[in-house]
Amino acid sequence: MRKYIKTLIMIIVVMILMVVGQIAPLAVADHANLSENAAVITMTIVYPIIVIGGGWLLNHFLFRQHLPLVAKWHFQWWPIFYAILADGLVYLFSWLAQTGFHSSVTTMNNWWLQFAMTVVSAPLVEEYVFRGYIFGALDSIFNRSITIWLTAFIFGLIHLSSLGKAVLYNALFLVVAYTAMGMFFTLIAVANHSIWASFTAHVVNNLLIYVVGIWAAVSSSPRMMWRSLTGTLLGMGITAYLIYRYFLKNRKVHNHS
């Protein structure tokens, strides 16, 4: 029972850290009357420090365990290939559903700051949080297959913040679509025994979304949102299944006593 409580505390606190890590630097920058660019730079640097550092302390005092997917950097090309394939399928299915496209790069004045936050800082934090701390906490009480599903589902839940102006009944489909994305990243990390593989795929994914862009969850049109999320669900879901088939199906799922 104590491990279940510790796991719940880890999940809740690390989620709070993600919120604080974004709000606190901006609040400080605003109080110090810093420029918008300086505020974004501050958040880009401080956000990972607060979340990753706070998560490390939590894991140290609650579990005192080595996180199963936090390993030394070992670069491989296959996560990049699968990320490109996944996004290619997302764009294909969205195009077939007649979803509008736009390039976010051309609409941002401080695009290089948004690039640093979206393509580097955010993926680093999310991989440490979900495939690092949350996966490690869940892995201490559940078998590996349940841990994979729960990690992906929690990743989907946290992205309810992307609901934006869309109506509430789209929330369930949003969670399902982002759970497929979470499954994609989680299976990549598990297959390579390292969050750095999923970080590589996450960076490529965010880069492609940043450059090409999809008129997606922030759209005020429920119809447009459903089309875009269908593309995400099918693209990420199919690619996650391919990773499972190729890397994991023939391996015995790891169980904990």
Side-chain angles (χ1 to χ4, degrees):
M1 180 61 69
R2 289 183 62 187
K3 276 193 173 182
Y4 283 90
I5 295 174
K6 288 181 179 180
T7 298
L8 185 61
I9 292 173
M10 168 66 84
I11 293 173
I12 292 174
V13 175
V14 81
M15 294 295 187
I16 293 173
L17 285 174
M18 290 185 73
V19 175
V20 172
Q22 295 181 61
I23 295 177
L26 294 179
V28 171
D30 182 64
H31 182 73
N33 293 320
L34 299 179
S35 66
E36 180 183 353
N37 284 0
V40 176
I41 291 173
T42 302
M43 183 176 70
T44 302
I45 296 173
V46 175
Y47 178 47
I49 295 174
I50 291 175
V51 181
I52 296 174
W56 183 88
L57 289 173
L58 273 172
N59 179 69
H60 178 74
F61 288 109
L62 287 176
F63 294 97
R64 297 182 179 273
Q65 68 176 0
H66 174 72
L67 298 174
L69 300 182
V70 177
K72 291 183 179 179
W73 173 270
H74 177 60
F75 179 78
Q76 288 189 333
W77 284 101
W78 71 264
I80 296 178
F81 168 77
Y82 276 95
I84 293 174
L85 174 63
D87 279 282
L89 290 174
V90 169
Y91 298 138
L92 173 62
F93 291 127
S94 297
W95 176 75
L96 291 174
Q98 299 181 347
T99 299
F101 289 81
H102 74 282
S103 174
S104 55
V105 174
T106 59
T107 61
M108 294 181 180
N109 294 325
N110 55 343
W111 65 267
W112 58 278
L113 292 176
Q114 297 292 340
F115 177 89
M117 183 65 192
T118 303
V119 180
V120 180
S121 184
L124 180 63
V125 169
E126 290 188 3
E127 289 312 308
Y128 259 98
V129 166
F130 293 101
R131 265 61 66 177
Y133 303 131
I134 290 178
F135 186 96
L138 293 171
D139 202 48
S140 68
I141 56 177
F142 297 113
N143 65 48
R144 183 55 58 87
S145 58
I146 293 177
T147 298
I148 290 171
W149 276 103
L150 285 177
T151 301
F153 178 66
I154 295 171
F155 182 85
L157 281 180
I158 197 66
H159 282 86
L160 275 173
S161 59
S162 301
L163 201 59
K165 300 177 182 179
V167 290
L168 190 59
Y169 63 77
N170 284 320
L172 178 60
F173 197 51
L174 182 75
V175 171
V176 173
Y178 276 96
T179 295
M181 182 180 290
M183 180 64 73
F184 169 66
F185 291 134
T186 303
L187 287 178
I188 283 183
V190 171
N192 204 59
H193 309 290
S194 174
I195 65 169
W196 297 113
S198 53
F199 171 71
T200 301
H202 205 147
V203 166
V204 173
N205 172 75
N206 283 19
L207 175 63
L208 291 173
I209 291 175
Y210 179 80
V211 174
V212 179
I214 299 181
W215 210 316
V218 295
S219 173
S220 59
S221 168
R223 188 179 181 188
M224 185 69 74
M225 180 179 178
W226 276 83
R227 288 172 173 176
S228 299
L229 292 178
T230 300
T232 302
L233 173 60
L234 292 175
M236 294 295 178
I238 289 172
T239 313
Y241 177 72
L242 292 175
I243 294 170
Y244 169 75
R245 289 272 302 184
Y246 186 81
F247 290 100
L248 299 170
K249 186 180 180 182
N250 296 324
R251 299 179 187 177
K252 186 176 180 180
V253 177
H254 180 76
N255 289 294
H256 293 276
S257 57

